[in-house]
Amino acid sequence: MEIPADLGRVLVIIPTYNERENIEDITRRVREATPSVDVLVVDDNSPDGTGDLADALAEADERVKVLHRTGKSGLGTAYIAGFRWAAEHGYDVMVEMDADGSHQPEELPRLLSALEDADLVIGARWVPGGRVRNWPKRREALSRGANTYARLILGIPIHDATGGYRAFRAATLDKIGLDGVNSRGYCFQIDLALRALREGLRVVEVPITFVDRAHGVSKMSRDVVAESMWRVTEWGVNDRLDRLRARR
């Protein structure tokens, strides 16, 4: 499937922290699946040398770029740094993709094609046609439960609001604004989707196959889960209070 030419310049942003075992393969697959896109590796000073390997990949391929950060500061801030870099360098579309191979680069053309009629496209696991492979049942239950909770308390029509495989138009990020985004972990994904919906933008979910990582260690932790639950609950409660005040 060809990428629509009218989308303009596309940048795939891949945050990394200790992903040396994965970054070369995922970069290669992105370049093979979508030769016309560029890749930006945002490395948080990985102790395992991921940043050095990314630099070597960039030297061998002019479409691979690297943004080095001084330390591990969370997924959300890594993506925001990538978004800002993309805006400074004139990209029209920004794609979020994990480094661990859970997001299939071969599915990227479908996400980008869907962006022709949308402002934000989310690669979704929990919609018809979406699948998960090799994930522990506990993680699957946690993800399904978190997304159901977010959908109900926030009143949003999205089934995979925590999904991290997504494509934004640059204009979408401009409209929702990034200055007020404080989320660091996986609730960052919910935050941006919620902001897009509140701005009246069109958010579309495209089914994907999510594959658990084969190498390395997941960044999911109790602190990440706790932050997500707390922030989503806060957003939901504040939204209800705002609606009650508006009725008075």
Side-chain angles (χ1 to χ4, degrees), residues 92-146:
D92 304 290
V93 173
M94 294 79 151
V95 177
E96 296 182 7
M97 183 183 293
D98 285 352
D100 60 12
S102 57
H103 300 149
Q104 308 305 294
E106 296 76 17
E107 296 185 316
L108 179 55
R110 288 197 297 110
L111 269 68
L112 294 175
S113 292
L115 196 62
E116 283 195 290
D117 299 312
D119 301 295
L120 163 60
V121 174
I122 299 174
R125 298 158 292 185
W126 315 126
V127 297
R131 293 183 294 174
V132 170
R133 291 180 180 169
N134 305 327
W135 228 17
K137 292 298 182 184
R138 178 182 61 82
R139 285 292 304 276
E140 181 175 340
L142 177 62
S143 180
R144 285 183 179 274

Short mmCIF file of all heavy atoms in Angstrom, two decimals, residues 92-146:
data_model
loop_
_atom_site.label_atom_id
_atom_site.label_comp_id
_atom_site.label_asym_id
_atom_site.label_seq_id
_atom_site.Cartn_x
_atom_site.Cartn_y
_atom_site.Cartn_z
N ASP A 92 5.09 17.31 8.28
CA ASP A 92 3.64 17.49 8.22
C ASP A 92 2.87 16.45 9.03
O ASP A 92 1.73 16.67 9.43
CB ASP A 92 3.16 17.43 6.77
CG ASP A 92 3.87 18.45 5.90
OD1 ASP A 92 3.60 19.65 6.08
OD2 ASP A 92 4.70 18.05 5.06
N VAL A 93 3.50 15.28 9.24
CA VAL A 93 2.88 14.17 9.97
C VAL A 93 3.91 13.59 10.93
O VAL A 93 5.07 13.38 10.56
CB VAL A 93 2.39 13.07 9.02
CG1 VAL A 93 1.90 11.85 9.79
CG2 VAL A 93 1.28 13.60 8.12
N MET A 94 3.47 13.34 12.18
CA MET A 94 4.32 12.72 13.18
C MET A 94 3.70 11.41 13.63
O MET A 94 2.51 11.36 13.96
CB MET A 94 4.50 13.63 14.39
CG MET A 94 5.27 14.91 14.10
SD MET A 94 4.28 16.18 13.30
CE MET A 94 5.09 17.66 13.91
N VAL A 95 4.49 10.36 13.65
CA VAL A 95 4.02 9.03 14.03
C VAL A 95 4.70 8.60 15.32
O VAL A 95 5.93 8.74 15.46
CB VAL A 95 4.33 7.99 12.93
CG1 VAL A 95 3.91 6.58 13.37
CG2 VAL A 95 3.63 8.38 11.63
N GLU A 96 3.94 8.08 16.26
CA GLU A 96 4.48 7.48 17.46
C GLU A 96 4.65 5.97 17.23
O GLU A 96 3.73 5.33 16.73
CB GLU A 96 3.54 7.67 18.66
CG GLU A 96 3.32 9.11 19.07
CD GLU A 96 2.40 9.17 20.29
OE1 GLU A 96 2.07 8.10 20.85
OE2 GLU A 96 2.00 10.28 20.67
N MET A 97 5.80 5.45 17.61
CA MET A 97 6.03 4.01 17.46
C MET A 97 6.98 3.53 18.55
O MET A 97 8.00 4.18 18.82
CB MET A 97 6.60 3.67 16.09
CG MET A 97 6.81 2.18 15.84
SD MET A 97 7.57 1.82 14.23
CE MET A 97 6.25 2.33 13.11
N ASP A 98 6.68 2.40 19.17
CA ASP A 98 7.56 1.82 20.17
C ASP A 98 8.80 1.22 19.52
O ASP A 98 8.75 0.75 18.37
CB ASP A 98 6.84 0.72 20.96
CG ASP A 98 5.84 1.28 21.96
OD1 ASP A 98 5.81 2.52 22.15
OD2 ASP A 98 5.09 0.49 22.56
N ALA A 99 9.89 1.17 20.28
CA ALA A 99 11.14 0.61 19.76
C ALA A 99 11.21 -0.90 19.87
O ALA A 99 12.06 -1.52 19.24
CB ALA A 99 12.32 1.23 20.52
N ASP A 100 10.33 -1.49 20.65
CA ASP A 100 10.49 -2.91 21.02
C ASP A 100 9.88 -3.90 20.03
O ASP A 100 9.91 -5.10 20.26
CB ASP A 100 9.92 -3.17 22.41
CG ASP A 100 8.43 -2.84 22.52
OD1 ASP A 100 7.79 -2.63 21.47
OD2 ASP A 100 7.91 -2.80 23.65
N GLY A 101 9.32 -3.41 18.93
CA GLY A 101 8.74 -4.31 17.94
C GLY A 101 7.29 -4.66 18.18
O GLY A 101 6.69 -5.42 17.42
N SER A 102 6.68 -4.10 19.22
CA SER A 102 5.27 -4.39 19.49
C SER A 102 4.36 -3.76 18.43
O SER A 102 3.28 -4.26 18.15
CB SER A 102 4.87 -3.91 20.88
OG SER A 102 5.12 -2.54 21.04
N HIS A 103 4.81 -2.65 17.86
CA HIS A 103 4.08 -2.00 16.77
C HIS A 103 4.71 -2.42 15.45
O HIS A 103 5.91 -2.25 15.25
CB HIS A 103 4.14 -0.48 16.91
CG HIS A 103 3.56 0.03 18.18
ND1 HIS A 103 4.01 1.16 18.83
CD2 HIS A 103 2.54 -0.46 18.94
CE1 HIS A 103 3.30 1.35 19.92
NE2 HIS A 103 2.40 0.39 20.01
N GLN A 104 3.89 -2.94 14.57
CA GLN A 104 4.39 -3.48 13.31
C GLN A 104 4.55 -2.38 12.26
O GLN A 104 3.56 -1.80 11.81
CB GLN A 104 3.43 -4.57 12.79
CG GLN A 104 3.10 -5.65 13.81
CD GLN A 104 4.34 -6.31 14.38
OE1 GLN A 104 5.06 -6.97 13.65
NE2 GLN A 104 4.59 -6.11 15.65
N PRO A 105 5.79 -2.08 11.84
CA PRO A 105 5.99 -1.06 10.80
C PRO A 105 5.25 -1.37 9.51
O PRO A 105 4.87 -0.45 8.78
CB PRO A 105 7.51 -1.08 10.59
CG PRO A 105 8.07 -1.59 11.88
CD PRO A 105 7.08 -2.61 12.35
N GLU A 106 5.03 -2.65 9.25
CA GLU A 106 4.34 -3.06 8.03
C GLU A 106 2.89 -2.58 7.99
O GLU A 106 2.27 -2.54 6.93
CB GLU A 106 4.40 -4.57 7.87
CG GLU A 106 5.81 -5.13 7.68
CD GLU A 106 6.64 -5.18 8.95
OE1 GLU A 106 6.05 -5.08 10.07
OE2 GLU A 106 7.87 -5.30 8.87
N GLU A 107 2.35 -2.20 9.16
CA GLU A 107 0.98 -1.69 9.22
C GLU A 107 0.92 -0.16 9.11
O GLU A 107 -0.17 0.41 9.04
CB GLU A 107 0.32 -2.14 10.52
CG GLU A 107 0.15 -3.65 10.60
CD GLU A 107 -0.60 -4.10 11.84
OE1 GLU A 107 -0.31 -3.57 12.94
OE2 GLU A 107 -1.48 -4.96 11.72
N LEU A 108 2.08 0.48 9.09
CA LEU A 108 2.10 1.94 9.04
C LEU A 108 1.39 2.53 7.82
O LEU A 108 0.67 3.53 7.95
CB LEU A 108 3.54 2.45 9.12
CG LEU A 108 3.73 3.96 9.08
CD1 LEU A 108 2.91 4.66 10.15
CD2 LEU A 108 5.22 4.30 9.21
N PRO A 109 1.53 1.96 6.63
CA PRO A 109 0.81 2.53 5.48
C PRO A 109 -0.70 2.61 5.70
O PRO A 109 -1.34 3.56 5.23
CB PRO A 109 1.17 1.57 4.33
CG PRO A 109 2.52 1.05 4.69
CD PRO A 109 2.47 0.89 6.18
N ARG A 110 -1.29 1.66 6.42
CA ARG A 110 -2.74 1.70 6.68
C ARG A 110 -3.08 2.86 7.60
O ARG A 110 -4.10 3.53 7.43
CB ARG A 110 -3.21 0.38 7.29
CG ARG A 110 -3.24 -0.77 6.30
CD ARG A 110 -4.09 -1.93 6.79
NE ARG A 110 -3.58 -2.51 8.02
CZ ARG A 110 -4.16 -2.41 9.21
NH1 ARG A 110 -5.28 -1.72 9.36
NH2 ARG A 110 -3.63 -3.00 10.25
N LEU A 111 -2.24 3.10 8.61
CA LEU A 111 -2.49 4.23 9.51
C LEU A 111 -2.40 5.55 8.75
O LEU A 111 -3.24 6.44 8.93
CB LEU A 111 -1.49 4.22 10.67
CG LEU A 111 -1.90 3.46 11.94
CD1 LEU A 111 -1.94 1.95 11.66
CD2 LEU A 111 -0.94 3.74 13.08
N LEU A 112 -1.40 5.67 7.91
CA LEU A 112 -1.22 6.91 7.17
C LEU A 112 -2.32 7.12 6.13
O LEU A 112 -2.76 8.25 5.90
CB LEU A 112 0.15 6.92 6.50
CG LEU A 112 1.34 6.96 7.47
CD1 LEU A 112 2.65 6.84 6.72
CD2 LEU A 112 1.32 8.25 8.30
N SER A 113 -2.80 6.05 5.53
CA SER A 113 -3.91 6.17 4.59
C SER A 113 -5.17 6.65 5.30
O SER A 113 -5.92 7.48 4.78
CB SER A 113 -4.18 4.83 3.90
OG SER A 113 -3.12 4.48 3.05
N ALA A 114 -5.40 6.15 6.52
CA ALA A 114 -6.57 6.58 7.30
C ALA A 114 -6.46 8.04 7.70
O ALA A 114 -7.48 8.71 7.91
CB ALA A 114 -6.72 5.71 8.54
N LEU A 115 -5.24 8.57 7.77
CA LEU A 115 -5.05 9.96 8.17
C LEU A 115 -5.53 10.94 7.10
O LEU A 115 -5.73 12.12 7.39
CB LEU A 115 -3.57 10.21 8.48
CG LEU A 115 -3.22 11.48 9.26
CD1 LEU A 115 -3.88 11.47 10.64
CD2 LEU A 115 -1.71 11.62 9.40
N GLU A 116 -5.76 10.46 5.89
CA GLU A 116 -6.29 11.33 4.83
C GLU A 116 -7.64 11.93 5.24
O GLU A 116 -7.97 13.05 4.84
CB GLU A 116 -6.45 10.56 3.53
CG GLU A 116 -5.17 10.32 2.78
CD GLU A 116 -5.42 9.87 1.35
OE1 GLU A 116 -5.91 8.72 1.17
OE2 GLU A 116 -5.17 10.66 0.43
N ASP A 117 -8.43 11.17 6.03
CA ASP A 117 -9.76 11.62 6.43
C ASP A 117 -9.85 11.79 7.94
O ASP A 117 -10.92 11.66 8.53
CB ASP A 117 -10.82 10.63 5.96
CG ASP A 117 -10.85 10.49 4.45
OD1 ASP A 117 -10.85 11.52 3.76
OD2 ASP A 117 -10.83 9.34 3.96
N ALA A 118 -8.73 12.06 8.59
CA ALA A 118 -8.73 12.18 10.05
C ALA A 118 -7.65 13.17 10.48
O ALA A 118 -6.79 13.57 9.70
CB ALA A 118 -8.49 10.83 10.69
N ASP A 119 -7.74 13.58 11.75
CA ASP A 119 -6.73 14.45 12.33
C ASP A 119 -5.75 13.67 13.19
O ASP A 119 -4.60 14.07 13.38
CB ASP A 119 -7.41 15.53 13.18
CG ASP A 119 -8.37 16.37 12.36
OD1 ASP A 119 -7.90 17.08 11.44
OD2 ASP A 119 -9.59 16.29 12.61
N LEU A 120 -6.24 12.56 13.74
CA LEU A 120 -5.42 11.66 14.55
C LEU A 120 -5.89 10.24 14.28
O LEU A 120 -7.08 9.96 14.30
CB LEU A 120 -5.59 11.98 16.05
CG LEU A 120 -5.15 10.93 17.07
CD1 LEU A 120 -3.67 10.61 16.93
CD2 LEU A 120 -5.48 11.40 18.49
N VAL A 121 -4.94 9.35 14.01
CA VAL A 121 -5.24 7.94 13.79
C VAL A 121 -4.55 7.12 14.87
O VAL A 121 -3.33 7.27 15.09
CB VAL A 121 -4.80 7.46 12.40
CG1 VAL A 121 -4.99 5.95 12.26
CG2 VAL A 121 -5.57 8.19 11.32
N ILE A 122 -5.32 6.27 15.55
CA ILE A 122 -4.78 5.41 16.59
C ILE A 122 -4.79 3.97 16.13
O ILE A 122 -5.83 3.46 15.69
CB ILE A 122 -5.61 5.54 17.89
CG1 ILE A 122 -5.57 6.97 18.41
CG2 ILE A 122 -5.10 4.56 18.95
CD1 ILE A 122 -6.48 7.21 19.61
N GLY A 123 -3.65 3.31 16.19
CA GLY A 123 -3.60 1.87 15.94
C GLY A 123 -4.16 1.15 17.15
O GLY A 123 -3.58 1.22 18.24
N ALA A 124 -5.31 0.50 16.99
CA ALA A 124 -6.07 -0.01 18.13
C ALA A 124 -6.05 -1.53 18.23
O ALA A 124 -6.22 -2.23 17.24
CB ALA A 124 -7.51 0.49 18.06
N ARG A 125 -5.87 -1.99 19.46
CA ARG A 125 -5.91 -3.43 19.75
C ARG A 125 -7.32 -3.91 20.06
O ARG A 125 -7.69 -5.03 19.74
CB ARG A 125 -5.00 -3.73 20.95
CG ARG A 125 -3.54 -3.41 20.73
CD ARG A 125 -2.81 -3.20 22.04
NE ARG A 125 -3.25 -1.99 22.72
CZ ARG A 125 -2.71 -1.51 23.84
NH1 ARG A 125 -1.70 -2.15 24.41
NH2 ARG A 125 -3.18 -0.40 24.40
N TRP A 126 -8.11 -3.05 20.72
CA TRP A 126 -9.38 -3.48 21.29
C TRP A 126 -10.57 -3.05 20.45
O TRP A 126 -11.60 -2.61 20.96
CB TRP A 126 -9.50 -2.96 22.72
CG TRP A 126 -8.24 -3.16 23.53
CD1 TRP A 126 -7.55 -2.20 24.21
CD2 TRP A 126 -7.52 -4.38 23.73
NE1 TRP A 126 -6.45 -2.73 24.82
CE2 TRP A 126 -6.40 -4.07 24.55
CE3 TRP A 126 -7.70 -5.70 23.30
CZ2 TRP A 126 -5.47 -5.04 24.93
CZ3 TRP A 126 -6.77 -6.66 23.68
CH2 TRP A 126 -5.69 -6.33 24.49
N VAL A 127 -10.42 -3.17 19.13
CA VAL A 127 -11.52 -2.95 18.19
C VAL A 127 -11.61 -4.18 17.30
O VAL A 127 -10.66 -4.98 17.24
CB VAL A 127 -11.28 -1.68 17.32
CG1 VAL A 127 -11.25 -0.43 18.19
CG2 VAL A 127 -10.00 -1.81 16.51
N PRO A 128 -12.74 -4.38 16.61
CA PRO A 128 -12.84 -5.52 15.71
C PRO A 128 -11.69 -5.54 14.70
O PRO A 128 -11.40 -4.53 14.06
CB PRO A 128 -14.19 -5.30 15.00
CG PRO A 128 -14.99 -4.54 16.00
CD PRO A 128 -14.02 -3.63 16.68
N GLY A 129 -11.02 -6.68 14.60
CA GLY A 129 -9.87 -6.81 13.72
C GLY A 129 -8.55 -6.61 14.43
O GLY A 129 -7.49 -7.00 13.92
N GLY A 130 -8.57 -5.98 15.62
CA GLY A 130 -7.35 -5.80 16.40
C GLY A 130 -6.97 -7.08 17.12
O GLY A 130 -7.84 -7.85 17.55
N ARG A 131 -5.67 -7.32 17.27
CA ARG A 131 -5.21 -8.55 17.91
C ARG A 131 -3.99 -8.28 18.78
O ARG A 131 -3.26 -7.31 18.56
CB ARG A 131 -4.84 -9.60 16.85
CG ARG A 131 -6.02 -10.12 16.05
CD ARG A 131 -5.57 -11.22 15.08
NE ARG A 131 -4.67 -10.68 14.06
CZ ARG A 131 -4.04 -11.42 13.17
NH1 ARG A 131 -4.17 -12.75 13.19
NH2 ARG A 131 -3.25 -10.87 12.25
N VAL A 132 -3.78 -9.17 19.75
CA VAL A 132 -2.60 -9.12 20.61
C VAL A 132 -1.95 -10.49 20.60
O VAL A 132 -2.64 -11.50 20.72
CB VAL A 132 -2.98 -8.72 22.06
CG1 VAL A 132 -1.80 -8.92 22.99
CG2 VAL A 132 -3.46 -7.28 22.11
N ARG A 133 -0.63 -10.50 20.45
CA ARG A 133 0.09 -11.77 20.42
C ARG A 133 1.14 -11.80 21.53
O ARG A 133 1.85 -10.83 21.76
CB ARG A 133 0.78 -11.97 19.07
CG ARG A 133 -0.17 -12.23 17.91
CD ARG A 133 0.61 -12.41 16.61
NE ARG A 133 -0.27 -12.65 15.47
CZ ARG A 133 0.14 -12.63 14.20
NH1 ARG A 133 1.43 -12.39 13.93
NH2 ARG A 133 -0.71 -12.87 13.22
N ASN A 134 1.22 -12.95 22.18
CA ASN A 134 2.28 -13.24 23.15
C ASN A 134 2.27 -12.36 24.39
O ASN A 134 3.28 -12.23 25.08
CB ASN A 134 3.68 -13.14 22.49
CG ASN A 134 3.80 -14.01 21.27
OD1 ASN A 134 3.21 -15.08 21.19
ND2 ASN A 134 4.58 -13.56 20.30
N TRP A 135 1.14 -11.75 24.67
CA TRP A 135 1.04 -10.91 25.85
C TRP A 135 0.51 -11.73 27.02
O TRP A 135 -0.45 -12.49 26.84
CB TRP A 135 0.09 -9.74 25.57
CG TRP A 135 0.64 -8.42 25.97
CD1 TRP A 135 1.93 -8.10 26.23
CD2 TRP A 135 -0.10 -7.21 26.15
NE1 TRP A 135 2.06 -6.78 26.54
CE2 TRP A 135 0.82 -6.20 26.50
CE3 TRP A 135 -1.45 -6.87 26.03
CZ2 TRP A 135 0.44 -4.88 26.75
CZ3 TRP A 135 -1.83 -5.57 26.27
CH2 TRP A 135 -0.90 -4.59 26.64
N PRO A 136 1.07 -11.58 28.22
CA PRO A 136 0.52 -12.27 29.39
C PRO A 136 -0.93 -11.85 29.62
O PRO A 136 -1.29 -10.69 29.39
CB PRO A 136 1.42 -11.80 30.53
CG PRO A 136 2.68 -11.34 29.88
CD PRO A 136 2.28 -10.80 28.55
N LYS A 137 -1.75 -12.79 30.07
CA LYS A 137 -3.16 -12.48 30.32
C LYS A 137 -3.32 -11.33 31.31
O LYS A 137 -4.27 -10.54 31.21
CB LYS A 137 -3.88 -13.73 30.83
CG LYS A 137 -4.01 -14.83 29.79
CD LYS A 137 -4.85 -14.36 28.61
CE LYS A 137 -5.04 -15.47 27.58
NZ LYS A 137 -5.79 -14.99 26.39
N ARG A 138 -2.41 -11.24 32.26
CA ARG A 138 -2.50 -10.16 33.25
C ARG A 138 -2.35 -8.79 32.59
O ARG A 138 -3.09 -7.86 32.88
CB ARG A 138 -1.41 -10.34 34.31
CG ARG A 138 -1.37 -9.25 35.37
CD ARG A 138 -0.23 -9.50 36.34
NE ARG A 138 1.06 -9.50 35.66
CZ ARG A 138 1.74 -8.38 35.34
NH1 ARG A 138 1.23 -7.20 35.64
NH2 ARG A 138 2.90 -8.47 34.74
N ARG A 139 -1.39 -8.67 31.66
CA ARG A 139 -1.20 -7.40 30.96
C ARG A 139 -2.38 -7.08 30.05
O ARG A 139 -2.80 -5.93 29.93
CB ARG A 139 0.09 -7.45 30.13
CG ARG A 139 1.37 -7.34 30.92
CD ARG A 139 1.57 -5.98 31.53
NE ARG A 139 1.53 -4.90 30.55
CZ ARG A 139 2.57 -4.51 29.82
NH1 ARG A 139 3.74 -5.11 29.96
NH2 ARG A 139 2.46 -3.52 28.96
N GLU A 140 -2.92 -8.11 29.40
CA GLU A 140 -4.08 -7.89 28.53
C GLU A 140 -5.27 -7.41 29.35
O GLU A 140 -5.97 -6.46 28.95
CB GLU A 140 -4.44 -9.18 27.79
CG GLU A 140 -5.62 -9.01 26.86
CD GLU A 140 -5.92 -10.24 26.03
OE1 GLU A 140 -5.02 -11.09 25.88
OE2 GLU A 140 -7.06 -10.35 25.53
N ALA A 141 -5.49 -8.04 30.51
CA ALA A 141 -6.61 -7.64 31.37
C ALA A 141 -6.43 -6.22 31.88
O ALA A 141 -7.38 -5.43 31.94
CB ALA A 141 -6.75 -8.61 32.54
N LEU A 142 -5.17 -5.87 32.22
CA LEU A 142 -4.88 -4.53 32.70
C LEU A 142 -5.18 -3.49 31.62
O LEU A 142 -5.80 -2.46 31.88
CB LEU A 142 -3.42 -4.44 33.13
CG LEU A 142 -2.93 -3.06 33.60
CD1 LEU A 142 -3.68 -2.61 34.84
CD2 LEU A 142 -1.42 -3.10 33.88
N SER A 143 -4.75 -3.76 30.38
CA SER A 143 -4.97 -2.83 29.28
C SER A 143 -6.45 -2.69 28.94
O SER A 143 -6.96 -1.58 28.77
CB SER A 143 -4.19 -3.28 28.05
OG SER A 143 -4.39 -2.38 26.97
N ARG A 144 -7.12 -3.82 28.83
CA ARG A 144 -8.56 -3.75 28.54
C ARG A 144 -9.30 -2.99 29.63
O ARG A 144 -10.16 -2.14 29.35
CB ARG A 144 -9.13 -5.16 28.41
CG ARG A 144 -8.77 -5.89 27.11
CD ARG A 144 -9.46 -7.23 27.06
NE ARG A 144 -9.18 -7.98 25.85
CZ ARG A 144 -9.86 -7.86 24.72
NH1 ARG A 144 -10.85 -6.99 24.64
NH2 ARG A 144 -9.54 -8.58 23.65
N GLY A 145 -8.97 -3.29 30.88
CA GLY A 145 -9.65 -2.63 31.99
C GLY A 145 -9.38 -1.14 32.03
O GLY A 145 -10.29 -0.33 32.24
N ALA A 146 -8.13 -0.75 31.79
CA ALA A 146 -7.76 0.67 31.81
C ALA A 146 -8.48 1.43 30.70
O ALA A 146 -8.96 2.56 30.91
CB ALA A 146 -6.25 0.81 31.65
#
